[in-house]
Amino acid sequence: MPETETCILFMARTTRFHEFVRSLTTSMGVEVSLATPDSPTAAHDFSLLLLDADGVRNDRIEQISKWLDDRGGIPMLLIVDDEALGGLRMPPHARCDFICSTASTTELEVRVRRLLGDEESFAVDDVLRIDNLVINLATYQVYLDDEPVDLTLMEYSLLSFLATHPNRAYSREVLLHRVWGFEYCGGTRTVDVHIRRIRSKVGPQIAAHITTVRGVGYLFKE
């Protein structure tokens, strides 16, 4: 359990999650300091950055990630609205996780505790290796030939779902439900679009594992 001097820096442009984040003071005994994404003026050390990603562009998130790297690789937890998940890009080199804005304070505490723990504490089962591809299910990172693959959150979620459920065909409707978690208003074509983007990013060797099943959907071959 973190000691009482542990500090979490909360960056936000509004006060909408102040009480949500301050619940960590009671549940974990940590100190919470405030800043904005435009002026990260933390006067003292902190162990974790919590960022309300509302209105914060991906390039700014990447800049903040590099700033955290310069401070010794401090981890970051993003609070993301459900409707913004499709365009979210997780910084590939960072110790980074996300939580939906509708999450409970219990889930917030669990994710914070995980990021504050040993960065090597994830189980071997959390690392999936397919040929020259590595999927770290604990950190949401994907590497191809030891180089990070720049996937959006939904591209990552679709790839990791198929890869962890190999040799079974899934319809586009089922993938929408299992990966997106709701009836996507754009229809099943969005699955095809994401599959095409994933194939283009992971290279031909890995793309060959992602098989189109005519009249059904997609299957990941081991």
Side-chain angles (χ1 to χ4, degrees):
M1 179 181 296
E3 302 295 334
T4 53
E5 63 266 19
T6 297
C7 179
I8 292 174
L9 181 64
F10 177 47
M11 283 187 181
R13 287 176 171 155
T14 70
T15 61
R16 65 177 186 153
F17 290 128
H18 278 192
E19 292 306 312
F20 181 55
V21 174
R22 283 192 174 122
S23 70
L24 296 170
T25 302
T26 302
S27 63
M28 296 181 60
V30 299
E31 177 188 350
V32 176
S33 298
L34 304 178
T36 73
D38 306 299
S39 56
T41 54
H44 53 275
D45 291 336
F46 57 94
S47 303
L48 171 73
L49 174 67
L50 244 172
L51 172 64
D52 179 2
D54 181 43
V56 183
R57 299 188 333 185
N58 284 316
D59 59 346
R60 181 58 184 147
I61 293 175
E62 180 66 29
Q63 290 172 356
I64 293 172
S65 171
K66 291 178 180 177
W67 176 67
L68 294 175
D69 284 344
D70 292 340
R71 295 180 67 100
I74 296 172
M76 175 166 58
L77 180 64
L78 305 173
I79 304 177
V80 186
D81 291 327
D82 290 3
E83 60 270 21
L85 286 175
L88 176 65
R89 291 182 183 272
M90 302 283 280
H93 297 286
R95 289 169 56 198
C96 188
D97 198 357
F98 77 95
I99 188 172
C100 290
S101 57
T102 52
S104 66
T105 55
T106 301
E107 182 178 351
L108 173 65
E109 179 185 349
V110 168
R111 292 185 182 271
V112 166
R113 286 187 183 278
R114 183 169 190 171
L115 283 172
L116 287 175
D118 183 355
E119 65 178 325
E120 301 297 332
S121 64
F122 53 82
V124 174
D125 289 346
D126 286 337
V127 179
L128 184 62
R129 302 179 188 277
I130 305 112
D131 296 343
N132 58 338
L133 186 79
V134 175
I135 302 175
N136 190 318
L137 302 172
T139 63
Y140 302 90
Q141 292 170 309
V142 177
Y143 294 90
L144 185 69
D145 293 324
D146 297 323
E147 293 294 325
V149 181
D150 185 21
L151 299 176
T152 67
L153 181 59
M154 283 303 159
E155 289 166 358
Y156 164 83
S157 298
L158 180 57
L159 174 62
S160 61
F161 176 80
L162 288 171
T164 54
H165 297 80
N167 304 320
R168 177 176 176 180
Y170 288 92
S171 70
R172 293 165 177 81
E173 291 80 6
V174 169
L175 289 172
L176 280 175
H177 177 72
R178 297 290 296 271
V179 176
W180 277 257
F182 56 90
E183 293 299 326
Y184 185 71
C185 61
T188 56
R189 175 170 156 69
T190 191
V191 177
D192 300 325
V193 171
H194 280 74
I195 289 289
R196 185 167 64 249
R197 290 173 179 168
I198 291 169
R199 284 170 169 162
S200 70
K201 292 181 179 182
V202 299
Q205 184 175 352
I206 300 302
H209 287 270
I210 306 171
T211 303
T212 302
V213 182
R214 293 192 63 179
V216 181
Y218 296 97
L219 174 150
F220 193 94
K221 295 188 301 183
E222 280 188 319

